[in-house]
Amino acid sequence: MADISDHPRETFRISMLLYDARYRSLTIQVVAAMLIMLFLAQLVDNTVTNLAVLGKDISFSFLWSTAGYDINQQIIPFTSQDTHARAALVGILNTLLVAVLGCILATVIGVFAGVLRLSKNWLVARVMTFYVECMRNTPLLIWILIVFAVMTEATPQPRDFREGGTAAMVFADSVAVTNRGVFIPRPIWADGSGIIVAFLILSIIGIFVLRYVARKRQEDTGQQLPVLRLSLAMLIVPVTLAFFALGRPITLEYPELGGFNFEGGLQVRNSFIALWLALSLYTSAFIAEIVRSGILAVSKGQTEAAFALGMQPNRTMQLIILPQALRVIIPPLISQFLNLTKNSSLALAVGYMDARSTLGGITVNQTGRELEGILLLGIFYLITSLIISSAMNFYNSGVKLKER
């Protein structure tokens, strides 16, 4: 009997790249990639040549020149004498702030509305349906302008808070809602406040560990730990003890009416509130439909089996329905988070200084570097979207159905 190794091996020929199924797909992909690269190279070369004819060279040195304009909403200090790069950083931080807070609030409202849309109470279900349909079928820009108009026209002026006026501060005279913004107490950090922040971070890490241990214990033994009460205890007790043991290093500066406006405290401008609420309410309507479809995707027999075992409706939703629905909810939820982040570029309509208004707006108009500015703005939104997608996909991989 002849040995298999005695047969001559087939030699590789160039023609096999086209006629051999083992190599044909790879050949097509390589050729397509080369054509795309050539097209992009030609596009870049044509752009650079045309700009050179117009007397414009591609340069990012404008980022280090003086900005010459002010930004009303600042997370980090900024003056008109700072550079365009710092102005862009302030705008980027403002965008990230409204995006993060918007995603959180939109998720809370969306889950709440999505669950209530399935309520057996006819009135509750119809009210949520009306809310979802109204929000989804009206352009986002209109909602931003409506909320901004309400915040500026339906709220009192600072002078109305004077003694004998028609307005009063709320929350133990610590918060003032005016047509110029919402004035809230501002924390004053003294020596020892860093230790309290460290205790807070450790408590949050401990809560995540507790929730992981509780979930593993429930999966292995079926026993449930009082996670909510233990989490509150882990969060409140250490921080409170450290706060008083260090002599209350964190104090609050309350806003006070002085002259024609409030002084002290922290001013949250109406432009930020309008953008944040409008983005959250608009996106929550889409999230509500995602949550509703995810819950309906779970077999009704799961709910009936849980009720047959004597489980309460809230525990059934928390332990049976939502964990299975998350596998359907998370993928489209990622798209809504991305949409909210990119829709924040409408901030210019109400004067909120985000990345679009600073880097892609005033900076471009002042320096004439429209190509460089828009390119940097696009890279920022691209990187932000990739980070959000990666984080949510990582979470999705943790909740997806794992086959044994």
Side-chain angles (χ1 to χ4, degrees):
M1 183 180 294
D3 191 359
I4 297 178
S5 58
D6 295 337
H7 293 282
R9 294 183 179 182
E10 184 181 6
T11 59
F12 178 78
R13 300 184 304 276
I14 299 296
S15 59
M16 296 173 63
L17 294 175
L18 292 178
Y19 300 108
D20 195 322
R22 293 174 297 176
Y23 305 104
R24 186 187 302 129
S25 61
L26 180 61
T27 302
I28 295 174
Q29 294 182 57
V30 171
V31 172
M34 293 176 62
L35 292 176
I36 292 175
M37 293 176 65
L38 288 174
F39 172 76
L40 293 177
Q42 177 65 25
L43 183 63
V44 172
D45 180 71
N46 187 41
T47 302
V48 173
T49 302
N50 291 334
L51 287 175
V53 172
L54 296 175
K56 290 185 176 182
D57 58 331
I58 297 179
S59 173
F60 296 93
S61 59
F62 70 95
L63 292 173
W64 315 118
S65 60
T66 303
Y69 62 90
D70 294 321
I71 299 178
N72 51 20
Q73 186 82 28
Q74 305 173 10
I75 298 180
I76 60 176
F78 176 82
T79 64
S80 59
Q81 300 304 313
D82 288 326
T83 62
H84 285 290
R86 189 169 182 84
L89 178 60
V90 174
I92 288 173
L93 292 178
N94 287 343
T95 297
L96 295 178
L97 175 64
V98 73
V100 171
L101 295 180
C103 289
I104 294 174
L105 183 59
T107 302
V108 173
I109 299 176
V111 172
F112 183 75
V115 172
L116 289 184
R117 279 209 65 184
L118 299 174
S119 174
K120 295 182 180 180
N121 187 303
W122 184 88
L123 180 60
V124 172
R126 293 303 178 273
V127 168
M128 288 296 103
T129 301
F130 177 78
Y131 165 76
V132 169
E133 295 301 327
C134 284
M135 296 302 302
R136 289 201 311 163
N137 293 289
T138 305
L140 173 59
L141 181 59
I142 293 180
W143 286 120
I144 295 176
L145 296 177
I146 289 175
V147 177
F148 183 72
V150 170
M151 292 298 301
T152 54
E153 301 296 335
T155 51
Q157 301 180 20
R159 65 185 181 185
D160 296 331
F161 288 84
R162 297 184 184 278
E163 186 176 355
T166 58
M169 300 178 68
V170 295
F171 299 110
D173 292 336
S174 62
V175 177
V177 181
T178 73
N179 62 350
R180 298 183 183 179
V182 178
F183 295 85
I184 61 177
R186 181 170 67 92
I188 304 297
W189 307 90
D191 294 338
S193 57
I195 299 178
I196 296 179
V197 174
F199 270 96
L200 179 62
I201 295 175
L202 291 176
S203 298
I204 295 175
I205 295 175
I207 290 173
F208 280 104
V209 174
L210 172 64
R211 294 181 64 88
Y212 175 78
V213 172
R215 187 180 66 178
K216 292 294 293 183
R217 178 178 179 180
Q218 180 180 339
E219 292 176 353
D220 296 338
T221 65
Q223 298 177 351
Q224 300 176 6
L225 292 175
V227 178
L228 179 59
R229 285 178 289 177
L230 290 176
S231 298
L232 291 176
M234 293 177 61
L235 182 63
I236 296 175
V237 174
V239 176
T240 303
L241 292 177
F243 178 76
F244 286 102
L246 295 172
R248 302 180 181 181
I250 302 177
T251 57
L252 296 176
E253 179 187 62
Y254 293 93
E256 296 180 355
L257 184 62
F260 298 98
N261 203 356
F262 280 89
E263 299 177 352
L266 186 64
Q267 180 183 7
V268 182
R269 296 186 175 273
N270 288 334
S271 56
F272 168 76
I273 297 176
L275 182 65
W276 174 44
L277 290 180
L279 284 173
S280 302
L281 294 175
Y282 180 79
T283 308
S284 68
F286 293 90
I287 294 179
E289 287 298 277
I290 294 173
V291 171
R292 184 175 70 93
S293 62
I295 294 175
L296 291 177
V298 179
S299 173
K300 199 172 182 179
Q302 299 283 328
T303 305
E304 295 173 350
F307 289 164
L309 293 174
M311 296 185 66
Q312 297 296 324
N314 59 337
R315 300 296 291 177
T316 301
M317 179 62 67
Q318 179 183 357
L319 300 177
I320 304 297
I321 306 301
L322 282 182
Q324 299 182 74
L326 282 177
R327 300 159 189 161
V328 180
I329 292 173
I330 296 299
L333 184 63
I334 300 175
S335 298
Q336 293 306 318
F337 285 170
L338 296 177
N339 289 337
L340 187 148
T341 302
K342 291 179 287 188
N343 286 337
S344 65
S345 59
L346 294 172
L348 186 61
V350 290
Y352 181 72
M353 301 294 287
D354 67 333
R356 167 65 182 85
S357 301
T358 55
L359 178 60
I362 300 178
T363 294
V364 167
N365 291 332
Q366 287 188 355
T367 62
R369 296 290 181 174
E370 60 278 355
L371 178 62
E372 295 89 335
I374 299 303
L375 179 62
L376 292 175
L377 185 64
I379 292 175
F380 160 68
Y381 280 113
L382 175 62
I383 294 175
T384 303
S385 299
L386 291 177
I387 292 175
I388 295 174
S389 299
S390 300
M392 292 299 296
N393 283 324
F394 177 77
Y395 177 73
N396 185 40
S397 64
V399 300
K400 69 180 182 181
L401 183 63
K402 299 179 177 60
E403 299 180 357
R404 298 182 182 274

